[in-house]
Amino acid sequence: MIDAYLRERFPLPIFGPVALVVAGCAVGTASLVHLATAAISAALLLAQFRIWDDLADRQRDSTMHPNRVLVASRTPGPVVGLGIALLAVNVAMATQRGALPLAFLGILHASLGCYYLLRDRRTVLGDQLLLSKYPVFVLILAGERLLSAPAAVLLPAAAVYAAASAYEAWHDPVSPLAQLLGGRS
């Protein structure tokens, strides 16, 4: 089930470049080894939060996307297990980067966890909160670089957020932001 889920909801031709961009924004491109390591870490963050998003949306997706692997399966257990394993890896990775990345990861988990529990419908503000995970990934991966070169991290993080928001408005015609902007033509 996990393989089918990852093929469907985490295709590497899409998420691989996203992980590379997030990593490049976080660590720069001076060292290819550092960039590759950060891209792997970014992919792990992206996968974990994709799983949390899909688990939170499972009920809604049962009517809107009933053929999705996670919805069609009898139990989400294997995907939940993968999400927990990725959580452990991502906490360890953030810990290695310092207290600030670990704090960002904790705040991200707390804010999105509360949002998932409290939301009853999609809103522009709620969707923007969900999209805030992408620039936070940049901050997590940047580690101490955020303190030594804040503009070199914060400006690309803001660009990542703007790109994620624009993509969401374009890609998801039922998103509240797309509706606010008049939908796709």
Side-chain angles (χ1 to χ4, degrees):
M1 172 191 178
I2 290 175
D3 187 48
Y5 170 79
L6 290 174
R7 274 195 318 273
E8 176 185 70
R9 301 295 294 153
F10 197 75
L12 284 180
I14 293 172
F15 284 92
V18 171
L20 193 57
V21 167
V22 167
C25 289
V27 302
T29 58
S31 165
L32 289 181
V33 172
H34 196 193
L35 178 62
T37 303
I40 292 167
S41 295
L44 296 172
L45 285 165
L46 289 162
Q48 179 202 334
F49 282 87
R50 177 63 151 194
I51 288 170
W52 295 155
D53 288 346
D54 285 347
L55 288 169
D57 290 341
R58 193 166 182 243
Q59 180 69 31
R60 186 189 69 176
D61 285 349
S62 66
T63 57
M64 296 181 69
H65 306 286
N67 295 324
R68 285 190 178 162
V69 171
L70 188 58
V71 172
S73 70
R74 288 190 327 255
T75 176
V79 175
V80 170
L82 177 59
I84 291 169
L86 287 169
L87 168 65
V89 169
N90 288 331
V91 167
M93 175 268 308
T95 301
Q96 292 298 312
R97 284 183 160 74
L100 195 56
L102 187 59
F104 284 135
L105 185 61
I107 291 166
L108 184 61
H109 277 108
S111 61
L112 292 184
C114 288
Y115 174 71
Y116 290 142
L117 290 173
L118 298 175
R119 75 173 173 181
D120 60 346
R121 61 184 172 81
R122 287 179 70 180
T123 64
V124 172
L125 185 60
D127 279 12
Q128 295 310 301
L129 175 65
L130 288 175
L131 294 172
S132 73
K133 66 183 167 247
Y134 298 107
V136 174
F137 294 164
V138 172
L139 303 181
I140 291 167
L141 295 171
E144 298 304 314
R145 184 171 183 248
L146 177 60
L147 299 176
S148 64
V153 175
L154 293 174
L155 291 174
V160 165
Y161 180 71
S165 295
Y167 178 78
E168 181 72 14
W170 172 80
H171 172 73
D172 186 357
V174 298
S175 82
L177 183 58
Q179 298 300 313
L180 183 68
L181 297 174
R184 276 194 277 171
S185 52

